[in-house]
Amino acid sequence: MADGVVKASRDGMADRLVSTDEDRKSVASRECGNGLILDHGGGLETQYCHLRKGSLRLARGTKVRKGDVLGFVGASGMAQFPHVHVTLRRNGKTTDPFTGLSVGQDCAKTDSGKAAGSRTSGWLDASAMAALGAPDMPTLLSAGFTDRPVSDKDLVQSGLPALPGAQSQALVGYIWAINLAKADRLTLRIEKDGRLFGEQTSEPLDRPKAVYVAYTGKKGSPAAGHYRLEAAIVRQGRTIVAGSNEFTLE
């Protein structure tokens, strides 16, 4: 988020979704999972949590520049879905980067209309404010083929699945997305050698979804040919995110 020096880091924790009390106990005192802390000087530091196992390559003392890659999105520590959790601290106190106010600090308005005790514009620059203030949009994490129905937990813990083979018991196309809104639909269409092989449109979502997986396909050993998947997220009748994938089975 800014130039700094790696103050501390941790890697090696598995990517796994926390869903039970046993899961929570297993990450007690290590809720951040894989992550690191950057010292930006002037009493400012940022902490990044839940990164993917094996993705951190920065040792303590390493100097970094704003925009450098620190690691990859994961689901280590206390994570119920893949994401990165970032905390900004100023002089040891957790601070809201939008307003510059510390946790618990009075945010009552003054006569000038500014929050009492706050910075004029928080700690984010104009480009970050524009990106984070944009309307929520879903993200397509992956769209592809596999030989069985898959879930979010499968994809997080095992990575992207292997492609179907001639001995597989099914051919399935899937879409994996995050940040979905109520009433969004997910559509999938599979073509084999240019002809329709299978398609599916989900029912409108009954509530917002942090993460969602949909799939379509057919049971039975797939025949040789060229397969193409078209996947999309549809909101209010309009495609807002789309992706495709294809492979040839010989």
Side-chain angles (χ1 to χ4, degrees), residues 131-155:
L132 293 173
D136 288 342
M137 290 293 287
T139 297
L140 180 61
L141 296 180
S142 177
F145 292 95
T146 181
D147 60 1
R148 56 186 171 81
V150 290
S151 68
D152 171 60
K153 188 173 184 179
D154 295 332
L155 294 166

Side-chain angles (χ1 to χ4, degrees), residues 3 17 39 70 108 114 122 180-181 183 201 226 233 247:
D3 295 355
L17 300 184
D39 184 348
L70 303 177
K114 297 177 183 178
L180 298 166
T201 298
H226 186 77
I233 302 169
F247 82 107

Side-chain angles (χ1 to χ4, degrees), residues 189-197 226-228:
R189 177 185 174 88
I190 301 175
E191 293 183 352
K192 176 182 177 293
D193 298 327
R195 296 185 178 183
L196 179 64
F197 178 83
H226 186 77
Y227 293 86
R228 179 176 176 82

Side-chain angles (χ1 to χ4, degrees), residues 137-138 185 187 230-243:
M137 290 293 287
R185 292 174 179 263
T187 67
E230 297 285 349
I233 302 169
V234 178
R235 180 170 293 174
Q236 297 179 348
R238 182 173 64 90
T239 297
I240 55 174
V241 177

